[in-house]
């Protein structure tokens, strides 16, 4: 798909904002220190096609207003000792780009991730110094049919998924002429940002250990070189309930959640599709939101990262040959580990590290730095409870929303279905040679 870039603007806060240096928490500056892409597609009826100029004007004006409240996004990161980062709130601004394409929305089919859609996302140039790199990029692309794509790339070093969606929702409200719903809470010291270490970790933190390699391999370098492919796989509400029923057949405790059973199902199918030996160790990395878990809980409007990674592990032969409940139980056990004490122990572990670089993924595409969670491992993130859908900037709600594509084998996101009918969508990146087998097991194993 050919996309032509027409104009771009640096959008700054509409009013003076607080300026100064903000320490980042350990949750902010480990693992994905990259820009996370998402995209929304909008279709207009022929009688209500707004002009691109009006859309751009609305976006620029409302974004400038939103940045007054969400001013950290208008700042810049900078490196300090120990491969740590801090945030300079200097109102340097964010980038808004206008683009157009001769393609039509219908040319995108079911909106599955593909190289064709990469040009619909903002380009983030990681070769420039980090203290010059904007933290938010926005791209508006107009299609020949009059529809538009609105895509975002937001720095994960500043916000996690919940905070990013909080910002987008408030920005959309301002674009519609409505007042701000809730003021963001910016004090990252609630997660001890910038404070020295005060204790040693009290838990074992497998998420910071090198993940298992394929049996017989001494590194993951060969696996990193393999071609990858993205897939968007839908699960109807009925299929999700079938998985829950299957997992709960032998369950003696509380019923397994949708996330627990779908994640267990993904794990099993990936192990099968990858053709592992029975004794192959495999890790599943899970992100847990700690806002309500911390004691005391974080404010609902906390603006930053408040997630902790935890590991479920096992042997591929056990994961694939035993009932679904076995994998679901391992997923649940990992999630239950994350208490306020565990989260503080995670922070203590990182604060005691002289250098954080080995726990950071700095580049978005095929980085050789930081942890690699490809074959034989997975990382499954839940966006099920996030306010992803219904993003209305004044021209109606989207017809489709999806995460951006990238090339990391083993990355997976579970999203609510765009129809809002209780269905789920699994967006997963796997090596191209494993995709067809994964799809086969993904649907066949629900029935058997």
């Amino acid at each position: 798909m050919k996309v032509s870039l027409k104009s771009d603007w640096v959008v700054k806060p509409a009013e003076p904002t607080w300026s100064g240096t903000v320490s980042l928490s350990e949750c902010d500056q480990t693992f994905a220190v990259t820009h996370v892409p998402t995209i929304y597609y909008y279709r207009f009826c022929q009688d209500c096609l707004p002009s691109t100029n009006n859309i751009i004007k609305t976006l620029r004006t409302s974004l400038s207003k939103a940045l007054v409240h969400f001013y950290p996004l208008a700042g810049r990161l900078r490196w300090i000792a120990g491969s740590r980062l801090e945030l300079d709130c200097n109102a340097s601004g964010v980038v808004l780009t206008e683009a157009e394409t001769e393609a039509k929305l219908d040319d995108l089919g079911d909106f599955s991730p593909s190289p064709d859609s990469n040009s619909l996302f903002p380009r983030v140039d990681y070769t420039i110094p980090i203290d010059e790199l904007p933290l938010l990029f926005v791209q508006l692309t107009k299609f020949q049919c009059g529809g538009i794509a609105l895509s975002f790339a937001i720095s994960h070093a500043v916000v996690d998924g919940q905070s990013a969606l909080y910002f987008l929702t408030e920005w959309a409200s301002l674009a519609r002429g409505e007042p701000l719903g809730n003021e963001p809470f910016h004090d990252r010291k609630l997660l001890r940002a910038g404070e020295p270490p005060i204790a040693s970790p009290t838990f074992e933190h497998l998420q910071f250990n090198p993940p298992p390699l394929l049996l017989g391999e001494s590194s993951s370098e060969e696996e990193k070189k393999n071609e990858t492919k993205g897939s968007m796989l839908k699960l109807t509400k009925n299929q999700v309930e079938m998985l829950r029923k299957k997992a709960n057949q032998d369950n003696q405790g509380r019923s397994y959640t949708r996330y627990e059973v779908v994640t267990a199902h993904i794990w099993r199918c990936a192990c099968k599709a990858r053709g592992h030996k029975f004794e192959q160790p495999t890790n599943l990395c899970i992100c847990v939101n700690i806002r309500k878990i911390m004691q005391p809980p974080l404010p609902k409007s906390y603006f930053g990262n408040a997630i902790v990674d935890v590991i479920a592990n096992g042997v591929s032969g056990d994961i694939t040959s035993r009932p679904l409940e076995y994998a679901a139980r391992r997923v649940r056990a990992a999630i239950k580990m994350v208490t306020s004490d565990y989260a503080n122990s995670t922070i203590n572990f990182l604060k005691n590290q002289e250098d954080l670089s080995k726990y950071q993924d700095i580049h978005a595409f095929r980085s050789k730095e930081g942890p690699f969670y490809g074959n034989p491992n997975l990382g499954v993130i839940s966006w099920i409870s996030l306010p992803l859908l219904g993003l209305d900037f004044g021209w109606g709600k989207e017809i489709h929303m999806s995460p951006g594509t990238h090339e990391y084998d083993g990355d997976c996101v579970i999203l609510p279905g765009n129809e809002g009918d209780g269905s789920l969508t699994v967006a997963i990146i796997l090596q191209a040679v494993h995709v067809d087998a994964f799809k086969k097991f993904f649907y066949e194993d629900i029935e058997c």
Side-chain angles (χ1 to χ4, degrees):
M1 182 187 303
K2 183 178 180 181
V3 173
S4 301
L5 302 181
K6 294 183 62 180
S7 305
D8 57 48
W9 299 268
V10 174
V11 180
K12 298 186 178 184
E15 302 170 13
T17 57
W18 182 88
S19 62
T21 301
V22 173
S23 295
L24 297 180
S25 75
E26 276 61 33
C27 295
D28 292 318
Q29 51 188 321
T30 48
F31 293 110
V33 190
T34 61
H35 289 69
V36 177
T38 53
I39 192 165
Y40 288 76
Y41 297 94
Y42 298 85
R43 191 193 302 276
F44 304 103
C45 64
Q46 289 301 314
D47 296 333
C48 55
L49 280 175
S51 73
T52 307
N53 287 342
N54 286 340
I55 292 176
I56 283 290
K57 182 178 179 181
T58 297
L59 289 174
R60 288 179 65 186
T61 302
S62 56
L63 177 55
S64 184
K65 292 178 180 178
L67 291 174
V68 173
H69 306 278
F70 295 89
Y71 59 85
L73 285 175
R76 297 291 184 268
L77 296 171
R78 63 178 171 222
W79 292 111
I80 56 176
S83 297
R84 285 170 164 79
L85 290 162
E86 62 182 11
L87 178 60
D88 182 11
C89 294
N90 57 12
S92 289
V94 305
V95 174
L96 171 63
T97 299
E98 178 187 0
E100 62 183 12
T101 177
E102 294 182 359
K104 299 178 181 179
L105 279 175
D106 290 340
D107 294 337
L108 297 175
D110 63 356
F111 300 100
S112 291
S114 73
D116 281 345
S117 60
N118 286 346
S119 54
L120 297 174
F121 290 89
R123 180 176 176 272
V124 183
D125 184 1
Y126 288 102
T127 65
I128 70 173
I130 200 167
D131 57 359
E132 298 176 14
L133 188 66
L135 303 176
L136 169 64
F137 293 84
V138 182
Q139 180 173 319
L140 169 73
T141 306
K142 183 178 180 180
F143 287 78
Q144 189 184 49
C145 59
I148 63 171
L150 190 60
S151 58
F152 314 94
I154 306 181
S155 173
H156 209 323
V158 181
V159 293
D160 58 13
Q162 180 160 322
S163 288
L165 268 296
Y166 166 36
F167 161 71
L168 293 179
T169 300
E170 294 289 1
W171 173 17
S173 294
L174 293 173
R176 297 195 304 269
E178 299 173 8
L180 192 77
N182 295 288
E183 281 287 345
F185 187 90
H186 292 301
D187 187 0
R188 299 178 188 233
K189 290 189 180 300
L190 293 187
L191 291 178
R192 295 158 52 199
E195 296 179 4
I198 56 174
S200 297
T202 52
F203 289 80
E204 182 181 13
H205 292 285
L206 297 179
Q207 70 269 38
F208 300 120
N209 293 344
L213 300 170
L214 281 176
L215 292 174
E217 298 293 330
S218 58
S219 78
S220 60
E221 292 308 307
E222 290 304 311
E223 291 302 302
K224 289 181 181 180
K225 295 176 183 177
N226 291 324
E227 178 189 357
T228 56
K229 182 179 179 181
S231 302
M232 299 278 282
L233 305 177
K234 183 173 180 178
L235 289 171
T236 65
K237 182 179 180 180
N238 183 55
Q239 287 172 321
V240 174
E241 290 307 312
M242 289 172 68
L243 284 172
R244 291 191 68 189
K245 182 177 180 181
K246 180 183 292 190
N248 283 304
Q249 283 178 347
D250 302 313
N251 179 25
Q252 303 300 315
R254 174 175 56 85
S255 177
Y256 287 113
T257 66
R258 292 185 298 169
Y259 173 77
E260 289 167 340
V261 299
V262 173
T263 298
H265 178 60
I266 293 167
W267 196 11
R268 293 178 87 230
C269 294
C271 289
K272 289 183 179 182
R274 287 165 163 173
H276 291 161
K277 296 178 181 178
F278 189 99
E279 63 273 19
Q280 173 66 57
T282 173
N283 277 9
L284 172 71
C285 187
I286 301 167
C287 292
V288 179
N289 185 341
I290 59 173
R291 285 168 171 80
K292 295 180 180 179
I293 291 172
M294 297 301 293
Q295 296 297 327
L298 301 182
K300 186 177 180 181
S301 59
Y302 180 84
F303 192 64
N305 282 276
I307 51 176
V308 165
D309 287 349
V310 68
I311 299 296
N313 57 16
V315 172
S316 285
D318 289 332
I319 300 297
T320 57
S321 64
R322 297 194 184 191
L324 181 62
E325 193 273 338
Y326 175 80
R329 183 166 14 109
R330 300 189 82 80
V331 172
R332 171 172 290 182
I335 295 172
K336 286 181 68 175
M337 286 178 57
V338 184
T339 61
S340 183
D341 287 341
Y342 182 91
N344 276 303
S345 177
T346 301
I347 293 170
N348 288 334
F349 176 93
L350 292 168
K351 282 188 176 296
N352 279 282
Q353 304 301 307
E354 291 186 7
D355 190 293
L356 290 183
S357 60
K358 64 181 177 180
Y359 307 117
Q360 294 169 331
D361 165 24
I362 306 301
H363 304 99
F365 299 101
R366 287 200 181 276
S367 170
K368 292 185 178 180
E369 304 171 33
F372 173 72
Y373 254 82
N375 191 16
N377 310 296
L378 280 176
V380 182
I381 298 172
S382 173
W383 286 5
I384 297 173
S385 61
L386 295 182
L388 292 166
L389 306 180
L391 193 64
D392 181 2
F393 285 86
W395 48 75
K397 298 177 181 179
E398 76 284 347
I399 60 168
H400 187 85
M401 176 272 167
S402 67
T405 61
H406 51 76
E407 301 176 348
Y408 272 160
D409 175 27
D411 272 9
C412 181
V413 180
I414 306 175
L415 309 95
N418 279 275
E419 298 78 8
D421 57 359
S423 64
L424 297 176
T425 298
V426 173
I428 187 167
I429 310 293
L430 291 169
Q431 291 180 25
V433 295
H434 299 145
V435 169
D436 288 345
F438 180 85
K439 290 180 179 179
K440 174 178 178 289
F441 294 127
F442 187 80
Y443 289 110
E444 285 185 355
D445 286 8
I446 296 174
E447 307 291 340
C448 64

